[in-house]
Each structure stands twice: as structure tokens, then as C-alpha cells.
Amino acid sequence: MIRLGVNIDHVATLRQARRALEPDPVHAAVLAILGGADGITIHLREDRRHINDRDVRLLRQTVTTLLNLELSVADEIVTIACDVKPDQATLVPEKREEVTTEGGLDVIAHQAAVAKAMKRLHKAGIGVSLFVDPDLAQIELSKKLGAKAVEIQTARYSEAKSEADRLKELNLLQESTAFAKSLGLHVHMGHGLNYCNVAAIAQIPGVEELNIGHSIVSRALLVGMERAVREMKVAIRAAH
Ligand code: PXP
């Protein structure tokens, strides 16, 4: 069964809209786990636009299943990760002006910085996943650098405007997964997945973990977090 990591960043986005105390992502994490989440994913951004240092530390104490921390290669954030010790660290690209993470980490262009961050995380005993595009060269280098997993980004699949484009992206995701598995990497996926488009992704042989945020948090606003997570688990299970 594929693991579902629920990304609760946008619970904190709503809190920060008022710079208030609620809604608290720690409460959301508890409800997500009660709804069947296999793990909780959070992104501590350098600009702290949603999740902050206090959230990361409290969530580390609260989430006893799997805490996946997304982070950039910035020294300051890597230091926090090494101290907090999430169960898994996912390195992602980060640009100040973007609304959300745009595209995968260019491991080839930023090899030295990625290797340096990975070395520090490994020394702290933290397994590293690299968020990359469905690109064989990026996946191959991820393995060479010592990643235990790749999170293959599904944005182009999620945003495809025609059925032909959707199938093309799906094929690319399939091919990338098979290649990553042949190298011995674990395969995760995420970005833009929702209740309607998740089934095809969940059917790709070898995918072990999906990280889904915006669609679950959006539904949770209307039907509650537990139910929103349960319904996503059903959508994933229906694919098998
Ligand atoms: N995986 C990664 C690496 C991400 O950066 C994000 C967005 O924060 C997600 C998954 C979740 O994407 P979405 O919110 O579109 O479900």
C-alpha cells in the first residue's frame, strides 16, 4: 500500500494570513493522522511564510509516524533539520518570489550545494530524498550522490491541458519510476495531486509514497481534516 504524506503547509498559510495562533498545524497533523495519514510533510521555507521553527519542533514531538521535512540546501535550514531530526528530509528548490515550489531541484546544476547539504544530513542520521523532475539524468545523479529516494515531481502531469499531454507526462513518470527502481532508489511523488488525478499515479508500479497538500487542505476546510484524508486514502486505494 502506498504511503500518504499529508502536507499541512497551507494550514499554516491560513494562520499567517492573520499572523494569528489559529489554525494550528499541530492540531491539523493530529487530525490527519486520525484520518489515516501515514506521515506528515512540512516545508520550512527560508522566508518562513507558512511553517515556522516552533511548528517544526512541536511537530517533531507530535508526529510519531513519519515526519518528512522539505527544505532547501540553505545552511541555516539544514542546521535546523540536523537538530530536529525528521524521519526523512526532502531537498527542494526554493525561490523567494514563487507561489509554490516550481519544478524539481536541478541536482546537476547545483551538485556541490546538494552534496554538501546531504553530507550534513547524513551525518545527523537523516535519510535524504531529492525532489526532481522526471528526468533520467537527474535521477541517476541523485543515486550517485547517495539519496535513498527521489520524489518525482508531478506538476507537469497535474497541469496538463490535453489528454495527449497528460498521457505523455504519465509515461514519463512511469519510465522515471522504473529507472529509479532499477538503481535501487525508493520512489515518492507529489505536486498538484488531487482526488481526481491521483489514481493514475497510484497505479504506477514501484511508487511508494505520495505527498499531497493543497487539495487535502482545501477539502479539509469544507469537510474537516479527518474526512478529507480518509477520502484521499480511498482514492488511492481505488487504484489497486
Ligand atoms: N512535494 C513537494 C516536494 C512539494 O514542494 C509540495 C508543495 O509544497 C508538495 C509535494 C505538495 O504539493 P501540493 O500542495 O500541490 O499537493
Side-chain angles (χ1 to χ4, degrees), residues 50-64:
H50 38 53
I51 294 292
N52 61 33
D53 303 53
R54 165 266 185 205
D55 300 332
V56 175
R57 289 182 193 283
L58 276 180
L59 284 164
R60 172 61 299 181
Q61 291 169 32
T62 312
V63 178
T64 51

Side-chain angles (χ1 to χ4, degrees), residues 112-124:
V114 172
K116 182 176 167 222
M118 287 179 78
K119 195 169 161 203
R120 294 183 64 202
L121 291 163
H122 283 155
K123 207 166 156 216

